[in-house]
Amino acid sequence: MLPDRLVNGYAAFLEGRFPQESERYLRLAETGQSPRTMIVSCCDSRVSPEVIFDVGPGELFIVRNVANLVPPYAPDGNQHGTSAALEFAVQALRVSDIVVLGHAQCGGIRASVDEDQEPLSPGDFIGKWMSMISPAIERLGPRGGRSMTDYLRELELAAVVNSLANLRTFPCVQILEERGKLKLHGAFFGVATGVLSALDEATGVFSPVLDKPGRVFSCSAAG
């Protein structure tokens, strides 16, 4: 039996949202999905793209993983979940936009650099997965006099930039971006503030997407 919270939530869905959107669900079942945007987001339960962007079923193609990382192109015969989802989104669904959505207080990123932080897991996979942010760590350089809070924020942003660079190692992404048929975007969500910022790759600055109070964060978008 499923946990009670899920069963109760499903019951509420059947009584409320599903009847209101039944025609949409029927249409999606009959015609298939055709989302225009792919989101690469973190598994973190505090960061839900469907909630942040207030979308309905069929509007976003979402892949979630630890720390919203995109691996570099590596057709080596191993299993690659994020790469498979990316390939499907770009080559089968023909999405027009890909958004790498980072967020504040990312546990995966903190565990990678904070020696006082407990490991996320004693298992076999997280450490190797998080090693993908090594280029971002090298770009930032030693923490020096920066507080851990400020350093982690810079690394969370740099990880988004790094994932965008890795996206561009995929031939299908390179080709479609060069042809103007695919756009890549970096974004960052403040869990406590609700502020959503977008990256200007020309300047390396993350700025709030709406004209609301909030800090402007920056990190170099240069390789």
Side-chain angles (χ1 to χ4, degrees):
M1 186 65 176
L2 293 174
D4 289 344
R5 174 65 184 87
L6 298 185
V7 174
N8 293 336
Y10 172 63
F13 166 74
L14 281 185
E15 294 175 1
R17 185 167 182 173
F18 185 75
Q20 297 171 6
E21 299 188 281
S22 59
E23 291 186 7
R24 172 181 284 187
Y25 278 103
L26 180 60
R27 184 172 64 255
L28 289 170
E30 292 176 344
T31 64
Q33 62 173 325
S34 56
R36 303 309 306 147
T37 301
M38 175 182 185
I39 306 285
V40 180
S41 182
C42 186
C43 296
D44 194 305
S45 61
R46 300 167 295 178
V47 184
S48 173
E50 296 94 336
V51 174
I52 293 170
F53 296 109
D54 192 25
V55 297
E59 293 188 62
L60 296 177
F61 184 78
I62 301 171
V63 58
R64 300 181 71 162
N65 61 44
V66 176
N68 44 265
L69 301 182
V70 176
Y73 180 69
D76 54 13
N78 294 322
Q79 291 86 0
H80 297 280
T82 298
S83 298
L86 172 63
E87 183 178 75
F88 180 70
V90 172
Q91 299 192 174
L93 297 177
R94 296 290 182 180
V95 297
S96 58
D97 296 271
I98 300 176
V99 179
V100 177
L101 178 62
H103 72 94
Q105 292 86 43
C106 182
I109 288 178
R110 185 181 185 98
S112 297
V113 295
D114 188 350
E115 296 179 355
D116 296 328
Q117 181 79 2
E118 288 292 328
L120 287 180
S121 166
D124 301 320
F125 304 106
I126 293 179
K128 184 175 182 180
W129 176 259
M130 290 306 303
S131 68
M132 282 191 288
I133 69 169
S134 294
I137 294 174
E138 293 174 3
R139 183 180 298 118
L140 286 181
R143 179 161 70 94
R146 288 174 286 189
S147 70
M148 180 57 75
T149 298
D150 288 343
Y151 179 71
L152 288 172
R153 177 55 51 83
E154 291 183 40
L155 184 54
E156 288 163 350
L157 299 173
V160 172
V161 175
N162 190 62
S163 283
L164 290 172
N166 285 346
L167 274 171
R168 294 186 170 103
T169 66
F170 286 78
C172 59
V173 172
Q174 291 179 13
I175 293 170
L176 291 175
E177 186 179 31
E178 290 173 357
R179 293 177 179 175
K181 295 184 177 181
L182 179 65
K183 295 181 180 179
L184 307 185
H185 312 268
F188 186 83
F189 179 70
V191 175
T193 65
V195 174
L196 180 70
S197 299
L199 170 66
D200 180 341
E201 290 197 82
T203 63
V205 173
F206 285 80
S207 300
V209 299
L210 297 180
D211 187 17
K212 297 174 64 176
R215 290 178 60 190
V216 175
F217 306 108
S218 67
C219 77
S220 175

